[in-house]
Amino acid sequence: MEITGASNLVTGIATANYDSVPLVCFTGQVPTYLIGNNAFQEIDIVRIVKSIGKYAVTVRRREDMAAAIREAFAAAKSGRPGVAVVDLPKDIQQALGSDVYPENPSIARDAIAAFLLQQPTYDFAEWKAQIQRWKEEKPLEMTQCNKAEVTPLAVIHKINQIFTNAVITTDVGQNQLWTTQFLELTKHKQMLTSGGFGTMGYGCRTDFADIQNKNECGGNKQWQNHYLRN
């Protein structure tokens, strides 16, 4: 990634980390001899993302690159998955060096994994059964006062009736809450939503990504739902 693009990753990093999505990001950086000099387009991305990710490092020596990358992938996948960032200065990117990755990352991910294996396992079957009973006894409902009115519930019910093979996307806010509560999901009707961080503008971008995916696969473009709900 170009240097100027690194800061654009911040919201995506926070979103992925919040939702425990394993992600490794590579960012560009000014040459090592310019770091700390307020150089053109310089940004300390490592300091910015350390509080919203699991691992972040600026590689300052070419011989450390392989280890840093391996550590990043180990950090992203171990324990609770999250985000790792490897910041690569321009001169380090251009330098020649070994592409052999060390077998064992030096960070304490193995110790964390071993600790997690020692934790007791729990049976949540009874708790899940209780939640299901509550759903049946007191189902979540929205009153449709006037059948002639266009309400969120009416729109989602119509979507449930019309679209049997679709990808439904939401943005953040009431439309997201209504959709997650009342949309009927199946193997062929799926929903994409931004998750816990509540990233504004997620729905529109996801629509276009889904269009591109459907174009490649030759499927239908069921992307209008997002705009109809907003």
Side-chain angles (χ1 to χ4, degrees), residues 14-200:
T15 300
N17 203 63
Y18 197 100
D19 291 337
S20 300
V21 176
L23 178 67
V24 177
C25 302
F26 295 91
T27 59
Q29 185 57 271
V30 299
T32 53
Y33 56 84
L34 290 178
I35 293 177
N37 289 285
N38 198 27
F40 177 63
Q41 296 186 341
E42 178 188 2
I43 184 171
D44 192 346
I45 192 65
V46 169
R47 290 186 62 186
I48 291 174
V49 303
K50 270 192 172 180
S51 63
I52 56 173
K54 293 186 64 180
Y55 174 83
V57 64
T58 296
V59 179
R60 294 175 180 268
R61 301 191 309 165
R62 177 59 181 83
E63 54 267 34
D64 295 335
M65 183 187 294
I69 293 174
R70 189 173 185 88
E71 289 177 5
F73 278 92
K77 295 186 296 182
S78 65
R80 177 183 173 182
V83 181
V85 175
V86 179
D87 190 41
L88 299 172
K90 188 174 182 179
D91 55 328
I92 301 300
Q93 296 180 41
Q94 296 173 340
L96 298 178
S98 173
D99 58 356
V100 177
Y101 291 80
E103 291 298 325
N104 298 310
S106 60
I107 55 179
R109 298 299 182 246
D110 292 339
I112 295 175
F115 172 78
L116 292 174
L117 289 174
Q118 296 175 5
Q119 299 307 298
T121 57
Y122 298 94
D123 184 3
F124 294 100
E126 183 178 349
W127 172 242
K128 291 180 179 179
Q130 178 64 61
I131 293 176
Q132 185 60 37
R133 287 193 294 270
W134 286 336
K135 287 183 177 180
E136 294 172 356
E137 294 171 1
K138 299 181 179 180
L140 184 65
E141 296 178 342
M142 181 189 296
T143 303
Q144 180 76 16
C145 299
N146 188 337
K147 292 185 178 181
E149 294 179 350
V150 177
T151 65
L153 181 60
V155 172
I156 295 177
H157 278 178
K158 185 60 68 173
I159 290 174
N160 287 333
Q161 294 171 5
I162 296 175
F163 298 100
T164 58
N165 187 352
V167 175
I168 313 295
T169 71
T170 75
D171 218 306
V172 178
Q174 291 291 346
N175 74 91
Q176 181 184 34
L177 300 178
W178 293 323
T179 305
T180 55
Q181 292 168 355
F182 297 108
L183 183 68
E184 296 173 359
L185 299 177
T186 66
K187 180 180 179 180
H188 300 290
K189 184 165 62 179
Q190 302 174 349
M191 181 183 70
L192 299 176
T193 190
S194 66
F197 196 66
T199 306
M200 303 301 292

